[in-house]
Amino acid sequence: MNKKFYITTPIYYVNARPHIGHAYTTIACDTVARRQRLLGADTFFLTGTDEHGQKIERAAQAAGKTPQEFTDEVSAQFRALWNRMGITYDDYIRTTEERHKKRVQELFRRIRDNGHIYKGTYTGQYCVFDELYVDVVGPGAPCPECGRPTETVKEENYFFKLSLFQDKLLQLYTEQPDFIRPETRRNEVMSFVRSGLRDLSISRSTFSWGIPVPDDPKHVIYVWLDALANYITAIGYGSSHKGAQEAFQKYWPADLQMIGKEIVRFHCVYWPAFLMAAELPLPKSIMAHGWLLFEESKMSKSRGNIVRTETILDVLGADALRYFLLREVVFGQDGSFSFDALVQRYNADLANGLGNLASRTLTMITRYFRGEVPYPSAAVPQKGGDSAIAENARKVIAEYSTLFDQYQFSRALEVAWGLVAAVDKYIVENEPWALGEKQDEESRSRLGTILYTSAEALRIVTALAHPVIPDATSKIWAQLGLGDIRKFPLSDLKWGQLQLGTKLGNIEPVFPRADKSAIERMQKMEDQQRSAASPAEGQPGAPAQAPAVLPVATTAAVATPAAKPAAPAPDGKISIDDFAKVELRVGQVKAAEKVKGADKLLRLEVDLGTEVRQVVAGIAESYAPELLIGRKVVIVANLAPRKLRGLESNGMIVAASPEGGKAVLASFLEDVPVGTRLK
Ligand code: MSP
């Protein structure tokens, strides 16, 4: 019997339209699902939308719609986008569907019957943006996760005995190290759990947009319990139908649950605890990827820095986006998106790389061998270069598979494209076009060997890359005369399978080169979208400026990424008066420490001569706090105070942030008195 493979994306909130941050997770899952199918696994790929809770209720209100109308609309937008991108999901769950609601109630009942739910009163702060109970004190206190003001909640609730599961969870993380990936996230979760778990409120009674608690409909079930349950309700948990029950037996537990790093706690602490309480098996692995950044901060609707997927689909197509995201971003870490980088990668790796190799090789086979694959001739001895390509390809197959199965997409693609580069070099060195002009036996044989070797390497890269760039590889496969690539059993892939005499299909370019105008076009499309976006699309409760933007300036500039420039001149320049508004001063660091729970932030006390200021800076990944004590730095001294992780930051430290590199603090070669103004 075939191995099964069940993979899930998070279900996306419908308070805002999809952007490439959502597409990133979905693409990664789609790629894994496609590979599993090619490997012969009975694969089930689930995605969907998360539609209950206060945040959605308020977004609907802001849009002047009923929650149901609103969620229907946005959920359909997500689905339409995935369809347009050819995402191969097997089911699309909406938490407002009847099947889900009933089954969540069943899960609630089961946990309650097992004695893990009790009634109590919750008094404390709640972050509507994160739909999270937070441990901060006082009305309006900032959420430690996102910095937005929290709301005070005092209501009778049902509680889940989370505290009971602390030891079991720690045992799980220890015994099943792959339960949370990557390692950094696992360590974070372990220290969070070790620091102690409190019981969790799992119902709300002050609004009604949710699933009623069984036997007590004044309460609705906490939106995260409702949402997390989708992973089992979609495949039949809690159903009385035999078919659904069988599907659940077959597919659960999930083999891989892919999430973004900001929802690790929900998935790696609450979710397994709920499952343990219901005596259900736990997922095999939860993989948290990093964030897609745009203009230095997390791409999100509330920051107004999103890029829509449709723009890229219109100009370069889905394969370009898929390849870029998986090749450019080290999976697990944050990565920046820019149109420039996208087009550069597209041209270098796809148009000039794989696309060029395909068209060169296939065109020469058409021209010199009437479109039939030649075979390396036994009559003419092979050269070192020929066997080196074969050897290289064998190694690539093995390495690519290992890396891919560890979700190191970027390294895997780098390895495969190493073969593309090697074949390119091989073609240039062997000049098949020169041999093609000759008719003698030896030249023809040699030409056959070179073109066979190139075509076989092309076939291997095409098969390996198929899950990542399905459209283009399907075309190349058909051009190679091999039919439907989805039917190819990837586990059998090896060198030498391309058959003599295979008749090529119609040769057409797969990746037309993109010129500079592609960047301008995409930029323009996004600018138009942003200016046309209606305010109702914004997220309710979101502050006008992103509070969590790290106060590290880009390329030694002084504005925060989210700050709007003060009416720039038409050529983008500012006047000296504009510059004079920024008060830059020399400061000296007196104290420095890491901010708890924020791996990028340091809390600094900086002496400005006349006063000592607290500044919270996003430089923890670049500087150990102890190395900063006594160091002279440049501070934007007249920046309005803002709160980061609940700490007030009074000013900004100036640093250069090279693309993909670490922040470097601005400093002086000569000694300068503390407090001196820079102008
Ligand atoms: N509804 C919850 C998840 C419930 S799962 C039971 C939620 N939804 S969300 O719409 O905010 O989507 C979050 C997910 O979208 C992230 O975990 C990540 O997978 C993806 N991303 C959204 N923005 C992203 C980036 N800027 N970068 C990377 N991934 C991003 O949280």
Side-chain angles (χ1 to χ4, degrees), residues 9-16 19-26 49-51 55 78 129 223-224 226-231 258-263 266-267 289-294 297-300 335 539:
T9 70
I11 47 170
Y12 303 107
Y13 282 133
V14 289
N15 61 324
H19 56 71
I20 61 168
H22 305 113
Y24 180 48
T25 319
T26 305
T49 43
D50 184 355
E51 308 185 9
K55 170 153 99 166
F78 272 91
F129 183 81
V223 63
W224 270 101
D226 165 350
L228 287 161
N230 91 88
Y231 301 131
M258 197 84 91
I259 56 170
K261 66 179 183 182
E262 78 289 356
I263 52 176
F266 301 101
H267 283 81
H289 61 68
W291 285 341
L292 220 51
L293 312 176
F294 189 60
S297 53
K298 184 191 177 207
M299 191 177 291
S300 75
Q539 292 181 355

Side-chain angles (χ1 to χ4, degrees), residues 146-201:
C146 70
R148 291 172 175 80
T150 54
E151 297 181 18
T152 308
V153 171
K154 183 173 190 321
E155 45 184 79
E156 193 185 50
N157 285 162
Y158 285 94
F159 280 80
F160 170 67
K161 291 185 187 165
L162 182 63
S163 55
L164 213 68
F165 292 90
Q166 180 164 343
D167 292 342
K168 278 199 184 133
L169 287 168
L170 287 170
Q171 191 183 349
L172 163 71
Y173 310 141
T174 312
E175 286 174 1
Q176 205 179 309
D178 274 352
F179 181 73
I180 309 173
R181 288 192 264 189
E183 182 77 18
T184 44
R185 303 287 159 231
R186 177 169 169 260
N187 294 340
E188 279 168 19
V189 170
M190 286 185 84
S191 68
F192 173 78
V193 174
R194 265 196 214 105
S195 72
L197 294 178
R198 289 218 230 139
D199 290 350
L200 180 71
S201 165

Side-chain angles (χ1 to χ4, degrees), residues 483-664:
D484 184 349
I485 193 168
R486 288 169 306 175
K487 302 211 171 104
F488 177 73
L490 189 59
S491 42
D492 293 348
L493 182 67
K494 46 178 179 297
W495 180 268
Q497 289 166 321
L498 186 59
Q499 298 295 312
L500 167 71
T502 305
K503 251 199 127 3
L504 301 189
N506 280 342
I507 316 297
E508 279 166 23
V510 283
F511 292 116
R513 237 190 106 76
D515 59 24
K516 258 216 146 76
S517 73
I519 301 176
E520 285 153 22
R521 260 165 52 221
M522 289 188 283
Q523 203 91 57
K524 207 160 151 200
M525 285 159 85
E526 282 305 284
D527 289 347
Q528 277 168 354
Q529 273 293 325
R530 272 179 213 159
S531 49
S534 75
E537 280 185 347
Q539 292 181 355
Q545 266 198 16
V549 169
L550 304 179
V552 173
T554 50
T555 53
V558 290
T560 61
K564 294 210 169 51
D571 58 358
K573 303 221 162 73
I574 58 167
S575 71
I576 187 77
D577 295 339
D578 282 335
F579 176 67
K581 286 183 199 151
V582 182
E583 190 188 327
L584 293 170
R585 289 199 184 273
V586 178
Q588 188 167 33
V589 179
K590 293 284 168 204
E593 61 176 2
K594 291 204 161 172
V595 174
K596 234 173 124 191
D599 44 18
K600 293 205 170 118
L601 296 183
L602 290 185
R603 189 190 75 84
L604 307 173
E605 283 172 30
V606 183
D607 183 3
L608 284 183
T610 47
E611 61 180 308
V612 176
R613 296 267 191 95
Q614 171 169 287
V615 175
V616 182
I619 54 171
E621 286 175 329
S622 314
Y623 293 94
E626 61 277 13
L627 292 181
L628 291 173
I629 314 272
R631 181 163 173 158
K632 295 217 172 126
V633 291
V634 177
I635 295 288
V636 183
N638 62 340
L639 200 66
R642 48 145 118 219
K643 282 212 165 149
L644 287 154
R645 298 279 168 150
L647 294 170
E648 185 160 290
S649 183
N650 267 297
M652 187 180 83
I653 193 158
V654 177
S657 294
E659 258 313 283
K662 299 205 157 170
V664 180

